[in-house]
């Protein structure tokens, strides 16, 4: 930085100042050759001191007043010019009076210079403005990068974890690694082109890149630039800065007299633009004059090659160029890496052992299932969890329960069983017993029906043989229940016999009550037959009322059920 | 070796591209292809014991639809002003262009090339006209890109003009 500042002060501005002074000296030389001649002046002074009055007279006689005055003023100007630098230097040690006195003149001079030709001052300023602007923008971007870094710190994904690991391994910041991994590029060639003619001044190409004729490329690039600038209304001073074609990019940096074009494959970081600009400025500073007076001989720009090479070999800061350029690991870091490696290895070991154990348990489980009657494993495989399918007799053991024997958890196995009947002797016995128990339960069922039927009692109106209202409904329900019972009994190989016992009324003669009871029983039988019960299974009886019988049995009918084989 | 930018300037279909093709590649095609924008070629040429790398900017012809962009001529060391001998109008266009070039980039060397000499019988530009042009100080040369008449010569003469000041 210090170097570049030093070199910037001794170049174009100073040179220009010298050039400005030169014509004045020349003018003096032409008008008054003797004045500049030191050897001629000394004897004159001697003579002057001796015969000043005579010489003055002579001068007036020969030259006349006007010429003498001109000579005098020239002599004075010359004398002032000798003391002026010293006087200014001295004045600058004192108060700011000289500065104040000169300020309006200098301001006017600058204004006038810009008015006449703004380019001159622009060219002088060009090498200074770039670095100054970059410095302030650089500071802003640093801040931005820092906040980007923080943002990235919080994002977690597989990729970011691997980048984080890389950052840790290589000792770079995370943001750097992210930039590095997302910016893959190569600078293929760099061209220095004369701005006005489009002629190629210098080309540097990467070894493994096949390039087109650089002369034609330079000219065409200039033509394209001109075309774009002409075709679209752009601000004065704006120019084409980049061309993009797929992943091929041409970055153009324009100076006052030269154009630096950089052919890049991939996505280059903004740092390359900064470098390009810097190189452009350096080239302008060092080769400004040959560029301005370029007459077609590119040899004058040969020594600008290092600046082009800088661009050609540009890499993103921290991009791994060679293995040996990687940051060596510190001792502490190495120990840490070893510790992590050991932890990972242990974790893998434990995991493998556990997997092995689970597999052993699974094999045990399969062997156990094979020994169980009524279970047939058809297929089994492992897909995250174990998957098993097969046939299962409903009487076989529950395969889920068997998991516990093999130390497996139900969630470790996904099973699907299809039902079937096994002919294994153990199961056949079981099945037989089950059937037998079913039969006995059927019989119990019949008893339930019987007791229900026998518990019902029909009540007749006095002197009536036909029940009415509720009792008629009851009779029909009774008939239906008896029909169900008959059907169920026949299913287990039984037959039923129904006895209808009807009573006469309390009043009446012994015979008349017997007739009424019989009539009532007959009516009930008829109803039962009409509801589908075989007449042969029904006996209709009249029961004479005995004294010990409950009084309310009078005028009613009851049913008795008997099972016969 | 020095490099020079040289432009081909003229009305449309006067044979600018054909002259360049004949000079650079030694080929000629009867098929007319209009130039859009600019085409660039280069050729090394020996003149006055010096090698000159000529960058030839073949600029699209001037016609009623588009004017020649003077920005393409910027930085040009010399130019060939090409005229179609069979079309008198192309001479007027050329002289008009010459004035515009002089106004925008200054007085740079040029040679007036009257092309299509293979069709000499159909020429609309009389010998007297050419003599008058030469008298006014314009260097003039008759060429035919088709028959390769004086093509190299016109470029060589232009190159000579370029190395003379050195």
């Amino acid at each position: 930085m210090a170097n570049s500042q030093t070199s910037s002060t001794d170049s174009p501005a100073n040179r220009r100042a010298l050039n400005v002074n030169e014509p004045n000296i020349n003018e003096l030389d032409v008008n008054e050759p003797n004045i500049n001649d030191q050897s001629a002046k000394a004897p004159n002074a001697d003579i002057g001191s001796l015969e000043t009055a005579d010489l003055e007279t002579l001068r007036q006689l020969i030259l006349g007043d006007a010429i003498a005055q001109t000579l005098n003023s020239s002599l004075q100007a010359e004398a002032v010019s000798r003391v002026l630098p010293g006087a200014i230097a001295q004045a600058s040690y004192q108060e700011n009076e000289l500065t104040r006195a000169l300020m309006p003149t200098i301001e006017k001079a600058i204004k006038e210079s810009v008015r006449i030709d703004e380019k001159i001052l622009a060219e002088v300023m060009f090498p200074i403005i770039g670095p100054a602007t970059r410095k302030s923008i650089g500071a802003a971007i640093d801040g931005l990068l820092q906040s980007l870094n923080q943002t990235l710190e919080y994002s977690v994904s597989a990729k970011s974890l691997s980048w984080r690991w890389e950052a840790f391994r290589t000792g770079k910041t995370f943001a750097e690694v992210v930039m590095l991994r997302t910016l893959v590029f190569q600078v293929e060639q760099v061209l220095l082109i004369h701005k006005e003619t489009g002629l190629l001044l210098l080309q540097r190409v990467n070894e493994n890149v096949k390039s087109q004729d650089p002369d034609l490329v330079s000219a065409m690039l200039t033509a394209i630039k001109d075309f774009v600038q002409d075709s679209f209304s752009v601000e004065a001073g704006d120019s084409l800065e980049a061309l993009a074609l797929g992943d091929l990019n041409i970055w153009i940096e324009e100076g006052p007299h030269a154009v630096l074009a950089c052919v890049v494959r991939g996505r280059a970081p903004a740092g390359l633009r900064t470098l390009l600009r810097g190189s452009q400025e350096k080239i302008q500073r060092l080769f400004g004059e040959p560029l301005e007076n370029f007459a077609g001989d590119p040899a004058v720009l040969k020594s600008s090659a290092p600046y082009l090479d800088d661009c050609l070999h540009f890499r993103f800061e921290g991009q791994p160029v060679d293995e040996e350029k990687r940051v060596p690991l510190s001792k502490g870091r190495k120990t840490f890496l070893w510790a992590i490696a050991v932890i990972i290895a242990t974790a893998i070991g434990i995991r493998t052992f556990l997997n092995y154990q689970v597999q052993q348990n699974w094999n045990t489980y399969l062997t156990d299932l094979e020994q169980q009657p009524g279970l047939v494993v058809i297929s089994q495989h492992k897909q995250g969890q174990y998957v098993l399918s097969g046939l299962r007799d409903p009487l076989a053991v529950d395969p889920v329960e068997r998991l516990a024997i093999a130390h497996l958890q139900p969630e470790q196995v996904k099973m699907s069983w299809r039902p079937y009947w096994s002919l294994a002797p153990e199961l056949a016995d079981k099945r037989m017993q089950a059937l037998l128990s079913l039969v006995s339960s059927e019989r119990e069922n019949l008893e339930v029906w019987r007791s229900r039927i026998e518990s019902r009692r029909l009540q007749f109106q006095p002197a009536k043989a036909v029940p009415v209202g509720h009792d008629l409904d009851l009779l029909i329900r009774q008939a239906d229940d008896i029909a169900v019972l008959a059907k169920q009994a026949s299913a287990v190989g039984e037959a039923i016999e129904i006895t209808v016992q009807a009573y006469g009324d309390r009043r009446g003669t012994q015979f008349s009550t017997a007739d009424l009871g019989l009539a009532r029983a007959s009516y009930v039988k008829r109803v039962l037959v009409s509801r589908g019960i075989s007449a042969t299974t029904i006996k209709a009886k009249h029961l004479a009322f005995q004294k010990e019988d409950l009084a309310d049995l009078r005028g009613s009918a009851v049913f008795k059920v008997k099972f016969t084989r | 070796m020095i490099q020079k930018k040289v432009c081909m300037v003229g009305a449309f279909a006067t044979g600018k591209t054909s002259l360049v093709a004949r000079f650079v590649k030694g080929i000629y095609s009867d098929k007319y292809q209009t130039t859009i924008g600019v085409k660039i070629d280069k050729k090394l040429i020996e003149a006055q014991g010096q090698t000159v790398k000529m960058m030839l900017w073949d600029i699209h012809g001037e016609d009623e639809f588009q004017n020649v962009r003077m920005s393409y001529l910027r930085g040009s060391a010399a130019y060939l002003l090409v005229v179609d001998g069979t079309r008198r109008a192309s001479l007027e266009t050329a002289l008009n262009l010459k004035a515009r070039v002089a106004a925008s980039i200054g007085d740079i060397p040029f040679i007036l090339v009257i092309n299509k000499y293979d069709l000499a019988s159909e020429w609309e530009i009389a010998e007297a006209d050419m003599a008058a042009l030469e008298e006014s100080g314009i260097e003039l040369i008759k060429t035919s890109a088709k028959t390769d008449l004086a093509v190299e010569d016109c470029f060589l003469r232009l190159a000579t003009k370029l190395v003379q000041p050195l």
Side-chain angles (χ1 to χ4, degrees):
Chain A
M1 203 63 197
N3 279 346
S4 70
Q5 272 174 352
T6 326
S7 56
S8 75
T9 50
D10 66 29
S11 59
N14 281 1
R15 234 179 282 141
R16 190 165 297 282
L18 265 175
N19 288 343
V20 172
N21 286 341
E22 272 164 19
N24 289 342
I25 294 165
N26 288 343
E27 259 172 52
L28 273 171
D29 286 349
V30 174
N31 290 346
E32 195 66 30
N34 285 341
I35 287 165
N36 259 4
D37 193 346
Q38 297 284 344
S39 60
K41 209 174 156 215
N44 266 356
D46 287 346
I47 294 162
S49 66
L50 293 171
E51 301 162 25
T52 314
D54 292 350
L55 273 174
E56 193 58 37
T57 317
L58 186 63
R59 182 176 277 166
Q60 275 182 9
L61 283 172
I62 297 169
L63 301 171
D65 272 358
I67 293 172
Q69 248 171 17
T70 313
L71 268 177
N72 270 343
S73 64
S74 294
L75 271 169
Q76 279 162 11
E78 204 268 344
V80 169
S81 76
R82 281 177 197 283
V83 294
L84 195 58
I88 290 174
Q90 213 158 17
S92 65
Y93 290 122
Q94 295 160 8
E95 289 302 309
N96 284 336
E97 274 171 43
L98 180 71
T99 315
R100 276 196 287 275
L102 284 177
M103 210 187 298
T105 318
I106 291 173
E107 280 172 357
K108 267 187 202 162
I110 292 171
K111 269 187 195 165
E112 190 63 8
S113 164
V114 171
R115 197 185 60 79
I116 293 169
D117 188 356
E118 60 197 9
K119 269 192 193 160
I120 294 172
L121 208 62
E123 274 175 34
V124 174
M125 299 288 280
F126 180 75
I128 309 162
I129 286 178
T133 317
R134 269 202 307 283
K135 200 170 175 184
S136 90
I137 291 174
I141 288 175
D142 276 350
L144 189 72
L145 198 70
Q146 194 62 36
S147 75
L148 173 73
N149 202 359
Q150 277 172 355
T151 312
L152 290 171
E153 291 285 348
Y154 295 111
S155 66
V156 178
S157 66
K159 199 175 247 181
S160 88
L161 283 177
S162 78
W163 285 344
R164 217 170 273 281
W165 169 247
E166 188 182 331
F168 171 78
R169 197 168 49 80
T170 53
K172 291 170 197 148
T173 69
F174 182 50
E176 269 181 318
V177 174
V178 173
M179 295 274 271
L180 179 65
R181 289 293 152 226
T182 48
L183 297 169
V184 181
F185 71 96
Q186 188 195 19
V187 180
E188 290 194 339
Q189 56 174 315
V190 184
L191 304 164
L192 184 65
I193 305 165
H194 188 240
K195 188 175 167 183
E196 193 160 309
T197 59
L199 294 173
L200 178 73
L201 300 170
L202 198 63
Q203 182 213 21
R204 308 298 283 179
V205 194
N206 224 315
E207 288 163 11
N208 48 3
V209 173
K210 207 175 146 193
S211 71
Q212 294 289 327
D213 186 325
D215 288 317
L216 296 182
V217 171
S218 304
M220 208 60 224
L221 204 58
T222 310
I224 291 168
K225 234 163 55 63
D226 290 345
F227 169 76
V228 172
Q229 231 156 342
D230 278 6
S231 306
F232 307 98
S233 50
V234 291
E235 295 275 320
D238 283 355
S239 66
L240 191 66
E241 288 188 342
L243 296 171
L245 211 103
D247 70 337
L248 187 81
N249 292 285
I250 300 170
W251 286 18
I252 300 165
E253 192 57 44
E254 202 175 292
H257 301 299
V259 173
L260 197 58
C262 198
V263 182
V264 187
R265 203 166 282 279
R267 285 185 290 168
L272 178 61
R273 172 67 73 184
T274 316
L275 180 68
L276 266 181
R277 207 159 289 164
S279 300
Q280 169 66 263
E281 282 159 8
K282 279 178 201 155
I283 290 169
Q284 171 60 24
R285 201 160 59 219
L286 300 173
F287 302 93
E289 217 171 304
L291 279 171
E292 199 175 348
N293 306 321
F294 180 68
D297 184 7
V300 292
L301 266 299
K302 224 171 186 174
S303 46
S304 66
Y307 303 107
L308 269 65
D309 285 341
D310 282 351
C311 301
L312 189 67
H313 299 132
F314 173 79
R315 272 162 206 284
F316 180 64
E317 201 178 330
Q319 187 176 9
V321 185
D322 303 309
E323 280 298 313
E324 64 265 26
K325 282 196 179 172
R326 287 199 174 156
V327 181
L329 293 173
S330 69
K331 202 178 172 188
R333 202 168 271 250
K334 260 183 191 164
T335 318
F336 188 80
L337 284 182
W338 270 112
I340 286 191
V342 167
I343 290 168
I344 291 172
T346 313
I348 291 172
I350 291 171
R351 179 77 204 252
T352 313
F353 174 71
L354 289 177
N355 276 350
Y356 170 77
Q357 208 168 34
V358 170
Q359 183 61 39
Q360 286 300 104
N361 291 346
W362 177 245
N363 290 341
T364 310
Y365 179 63
L366 288 179
T367 315
D368 178 60
L369 287 189
E370 264 172 38
Q371 289 164 358
Q372 300 301 326
L375 287 179
V376 182
V377 175
I378 294 171
S379 73
Q380 57 93 9
H381 63 276
K382 193 175 180 184
Q383 190 178 11
Q385 59 184 161
Y386 290 104
V387 179
L388 183 135
S389 66
L391 301 174
R392 182 190 169 196
D393 190 299
L395 295 175
V397 291
D398 185 354
V400 177
E401 277 174 17
R402 304 300 294 179
L403 284 170
I405 292 161
H407 307 292
L408 289 168
Q409 298 301 316
E411 57 270 19
Q412 286 177 289
V413 187
K414 188 180 160 191
M415 329 182 164
S416 59
W417 296 100
R418 288 168 67 186
Y420 89 113
W421 273 7
S422 167
L423 295 178
E426 309 89 306
L427 294 184
D429 277 359
K430 256 191 189 175
R431 188 165 292 113
M432 187 56 75
Q433 278 165 14
L435 279 172
L436 289 176
S437 72
L438 192 72
V439 169
S440 66
S441 75
E442 286 290 333
R443 183 162 279 287
E444 279 167 22
N445 202 21
L446 292 180
E447 288 303 324
V448 172
W449 280 101
R450 192 214 330 236
S451 64
R452 183 190 293 173
I453 289 164
E454 288 186 345
S455 69
R456 285 199 184 115
R457 190 156 61 93
L458 280 177
Q459 195 66 43
F460 290 84
Q461 299 284 327
K464 299 280 184 202
V466 176
V468 290
H470 168 75
D471 288 292
L472 186 59
D473 293 340
L474 186 70
L475 175 58
I476 289 166
R477 223 162 36 241
Q478 184 77 322
D480 289 345
D481 281 356
I482 290 167
V484 172
L485 176 64
K487 201 179 270 176
Q488 290 199 347
S490 78
V492 291
E494 300 266 358
I496 56 164
E497 194 181 285
I498 307 289
T499 306
V500 182
Q501 297 177 338
Y503 295 90
D505 287 340
R506 183 191 296 203
R507 294 195 186 160
T509 64
Q510 192 181 1
F511 294 105
S512 68
T513 55
D515 285 346
L516 185 60
L518 199 58
R520 284 170 173 167
S522 302
Y523 179 77
V524 170
K525 184 180 176 179
R526 278 208 304 279
V527 170
L528 294 184
V529 171
S530 77
R531 301 301 287 185
I533 299 157
S534 166
T536 54
T537 62
I538 306 168
K539 283 181 184 165
K541 269 189 182 174
H542 160 252
L543 277 187
F545 185 72
Q546 303 295 319
K547 269 199 178 138
E548 57 271 23
D549 289 339
L550 287 171
D552 53 359
L553 278 175
R554 282 185 195 139
S556 68
V558 292
F559 300 79
K560 294 288 174 205
V561 178
K562 195 177 157 193
F563 293 107
T564 57
R565 276 191 192 267
Chain B
M1 182 179 65
I2 58 163
Q3 306 179 44
K4 293 290 177 188
K5 172 176 172 180
V6 170
C7 291
M8 307 293 292
V9 182
F12 72 97
T14 51
K16 297 178 290 299
T17 306
S18 295
L19 285 168
V20 172
R22 170 62 82 185
F23 175 54
V24 176
K25 302 188 186 100
I27 53 169
Y28 175 81
S29 164
D30 260 329
K31 204 171 148 197
Y32 174 63
Q33 283 179 321
T34 182
T35 303
I36 294 167
V38 60
K39 275 205 297 213
I40 294 161
D41 267 299
K42 76 167 176 182
K43 173 102 174 171
L44 293 181
I45 191 166
E46 288 286 336
Q48 312 267 316
Q50 272 197 63
T51 310
V52 180
K53 188 196 276 176
M54 264 195 186
M55 297 305 301
L56 295 162
W57 288 48
D58 175 14
I59 300 169
H60 66 84
E62 173 109 342
D63 61 21
E64 57 199 285
F65 302 113
Q66 56 175 353
N67 288 339
V68 169
R69 291 166 189 270
M70 285 301 134
S71 60
Y72 286 145
L73 277 123
R74 201 174 51 217
S76 185
Y79 65 100
L80 287 181
L81 193 55
V82 186
V83 171
D84 176 356
T86 66
R87 284 185 293 141
R88 198 182 164 80
S90 70
L91 177 63
E92 276 146 34
T93 308
L95 294 175
N96 179 14
L97 275 168
K98 170 187 162 290
R100 267 167 54 205
V101 172
S104 62
I105 60 167
D107 271 320
I108 55 169
F110 75 96
I111 293 174
L112 184 67
V113 178
I114 306 188
N115 194 31
K116 306 196 184 175
Y117 197 71
D118 50 294
L119 303 172
S121 58
E122 299 168 28
W123 271 33
E124 290 179 355
I125 300 168
E127 285 294 336
D129 297 328
M130 289 185 263
L133 285 167
E134 279 185 309
E135 221 158 87
S136 70
I138 293 175
E139 189 171 345
L140 188 147
I141 188 164
K142 286 175 271 187
T143 61
S144 166
K146 189 172 184 175
T147 60
D148 199 7
L149 172 77
V151 174
E152 187 149 358
D153 190 34
C154 74
F155 283 100
L156 201 63
R157 271 162 71 177
L158 199 67
T160 312
K161 284 176 184 288
L162 295 176
V163 293
Q164 262 168 1
L166 290 176

